[in-house]
Amino acid sequence: HVQLVESGGGEVQAGGSLRLSCVASGSRNCVGWFRQAPGKEREVVAIIPSGYGYPYYAHSVTGRFTISEGKANTVYLQMNSLKIEDTAMYYCAASRRSCSPSPTEFDYWGQGTQVTVS
């Protein structure tokens, strides 16, 4: 079983930055950040494999967001140059299967943290 706890959301002006944190306990093949805006489907933002491999980024955030894994099983999502369209609930998720960029591949989810860009 994998437990995930997110933090770091908030409200920021367009062009600003936020850093989200996710503490992930338990073994997993990868950790991803997803987001869901009101009335829209949940979409992948970024995925980082545990161990070897390269991170994956959605086209909409490439060059602005960075996913990384730090100490104490913490995965970060550094978000720069935020846009109004980045406003959403952001979820951390873990997969013990593939690291395909689809929410259906991820079995474990955190409670979410709200990011609002105005």
Side-chain angles (χ1 to χ4, degrees):
H1 188 70
V2 182
Q3 290 185 316
L4 304 142
V5 180
E6 306 103 328
S7 62
E11 186 166 353
V12 65
Q13 290 188 339
S17 298
L18 280 175
R19 188 176 79 162
L20 306 183
S21 300
C22 172
V23 179
S25 63
S27 64
R28 65 272 180 187
N29 288 338
C30 49
V31 174
W33 284 97
F34 295 79
R35 66 187 182 187
Q36 188 167 17
K40 295 188 176 181
E41 293 186 354
R42 191 168 296 188
E43 61 178 6
V44 63
V45 175
I47 297 170
I48 186 166
S50 298
Y52 297 101
Y54 295 97
Y56 167 90
Y57 295 96
H59 177 73
S60 59
V61 307
T62 298
R64 300 188 298 120
F65 291 11
T66 302
I67 189 170
S68 62
E69 189 159 5
K71 297 180 180 179
N73 290 316
T74 303
V75 174
Y76 300 100
L77 184 69
Q78 178 66 44
M79 306 185 293
N80 299 329
S81 302
L82 282 160
K83 303 176 181 180
I84 292 176
E85 51 263 41
D86 293 319
T87 295
M89 183 70 78
Y90 282 70
Y91 297 91
C92 177
S95 174
R96 287 182 169 176
R97 297 181 285 165
S98 77
C99 295
S100 296
S102 169
T104 58
E105 289 297 313
F106 289 73
D107 297 318
Y108 305 95
W109 293 84
Q111 80 284 357
T113 185
Q114 178 68 37
V115 171
T116 302
V117 185
S118 59

